[in-house]
Amino acid sequence: MEIGMIGLGRMGANMALRLLRGGHRAVGFDPRTEARAALEKEGAGSADSLAALVAALPAPRVLWLMVPSGAITDTTLDQLLPLLAAGDTVVDGGNSNYKDTLRRAATFAGRQLQYVDCGTSGGVWGLAAGYSLMIGGDSATVERLRPLFETLAPGRDQGWGRVGPVGAGHFTKMIHNGIEYGMMQAYAEGFSILQHKHDFALDLHQVAQIWRYGSVVRSWLLDLTATALEAHPGMAGIAPYVADSGEGRWTVDEAIDLNVPAPVITQALIERLRSRDTDSFSDKLLAAMRNQFGGHPLTHE
């Protein structure tokens, strides 16, 4: 099967390479010349514009979008839409908000174009290990694209599936990432408690290695935590700043809309926000209040 990959960042490029190695033909577009050149060295074709990419693919075309969520996705789709013909399919493999996906899919359906949303997990390890693919879209279209999904996934019948109609893929990936927030926070807090027990001088990498085998808390995320603790035992040189790409916020918003309590995921999101406040007004005010009602001493900068 032939596919056009739009967006050759690390994940998009790796997905194109996995498809190539699985026997598919891939043509990639990225505005960066060096990204296109790197893909060409691996045996793929490249195009220097969206129009050239569409022209290089046989009809009906399949184009896989791997660009950041939000305005960039909308801009790219607005430029792509007039270039397509009835029967073409666009797969959005980024972390789009499912509500945006529903809006975009409606626009494409009005042009007799198929829109498939594919929540994608696997990060930098996906090229070697395969990607977890949560797919939303028309069942016949997803079935037609089965060879692509089977190649990208860890196995032909593992790690991928159509989870529902269009929008369901990105919705499922959103909740997946919300769960990830909670798991990461639990690991971080647990290892922090271990690190603060100075009397025992615990080797955190050793503990992580022990937990990786036989423990009920073992996971791939713990494997990665062990690797991080080996490389940075005391986290020296790493700023206590944790970014978020939006999915945790969307998950909390959805939980509120559905009246579903999600305290762990919500608190994990709050902790990420706290990590960015290097001059916390609220903490200063808390100290000032304690001083006012109890005469507790203030620590001055």
Side-chain angles (χ1 to χ4, degrees), residues 98-290:
Y98 81 98
K99 295 177 182 178
D100 290 334
T101 299
L102 292 173
R103 169 177 54 81
R104 293 162 183 156
T107 299
F108 272 67
R111 303 282 190 95
Q112 295 183 313
L113 301 167
Q114 293 296 324
Y115 199 86
V116 174
D117 55 303
C118 181
T120 307
S121 182
V124 298
W125 301 94
L127 175 58
Y131 298 90
S132 175
L133 307 173
M134 296 143 266
I135 304 158
D138 172 71
S139 56
T141 301
V142 172
E143 184 62 29
R144 179 166 55 85
L145 301 179
R146 171 181 285 270
L148 298 177
F149 299 133
E150 289 180 340
T151 301
L152 289 170
R156 288 174 59 89
D157 299 310
Q158 292 181 329
W160 77 276
R162 177 184 179 268
V163 296
V166 67
H170 282 153
F171 181 83
T172 304
K173 178 56 162 52
M174 176 183 75
I175 305 305
H176 164 284
N177 284 22
I179 294 171
E180 179 184 293
Y181 276 45
M183 292 176 65
M184 292 175 69
Q185 187 65 32
Y187 280 129
E189 291 177 7
F191 279 102
S192 180
I193 296 169
L194 294 172
Q195 191 270 338
H196 279 81
K197 189 62 174 177
H198 303 301
D199 293 351
F200 291 159
L202 296 165
D203 181 337
L204 301 189
H205 176 251
Q206 179 197 28
V207 173
Q209 287 289 85
I210 292 170
W211 288 354
R212 288 180 61 204
Y213 303 97
S215 166
V216 296
V217 299
R218 66 188 184 273
S219 69
W220 183 50
L221 186 55
L222 180 61
D223 296 344
L224 299 177
T225 301
T227 301
L229 288 168
E230 182 179 29
H232 307 281
M235 299 292 113
I238 298 178
Y241 181 103
V242 187
D244 77 280
S245 52
E247 296 89 344
R249 299 176 188 230
W250 303 340
T251 300
V252 172
D253 287 344
E254 197 67 28
I256 293 170
D257 287 346
L258 295 174
N259 293 316
V260 175
V264 172
I265 295 173
T266 302
Q267 188 58 39
L269 172 62
I270 297 302
E271 288 301 317
R272 293 197 180 197
L273 300 181
R274 280 188 61 85
S275 77
R276 302 167 210 176
D277 193 353
T278 58
D279 188 33
S280 174
F281 180 85
S282 61
D283 288 346
K284 291 179 179 180
L285 184 57
L286 284 171
M289 284 189 282
R290 291 186 76 247

Side-chain angles (χ1 to χ4, degrees), residues 26-38:
V27 182
F29 164 73
D30 194 284
R32 298 168 298 142
T33 303
E34 62 273 17
R36 300 196 304 269

Side-chain angles (χ1 to χ4, degrees), residues 45-102:
S46 75
D48 59 6
S49 68
L50 287 175
L53 177 66
V54 171
L57 296 170
R61 304 168 187 85
V62 178
L63 297 112
W64 194 298
L65 194 63
M66 288 300 294
V67 301
S69 63
I72 297 177
T73 298
D74 278 322
T75 298
T76 303
L77 291 174
D78 287 345
Q79 295 172 351
L80 183 63
L81 193 58
L83 303 173
L84 301 179
D88 291 345
T89 301
V90 171
V91 181
D92 182 358
N95 281 326
S96 290
N97 188 304
Y98 81 98
K99 295 177 182 178
D100 290 334
T101 299
L102 292 173

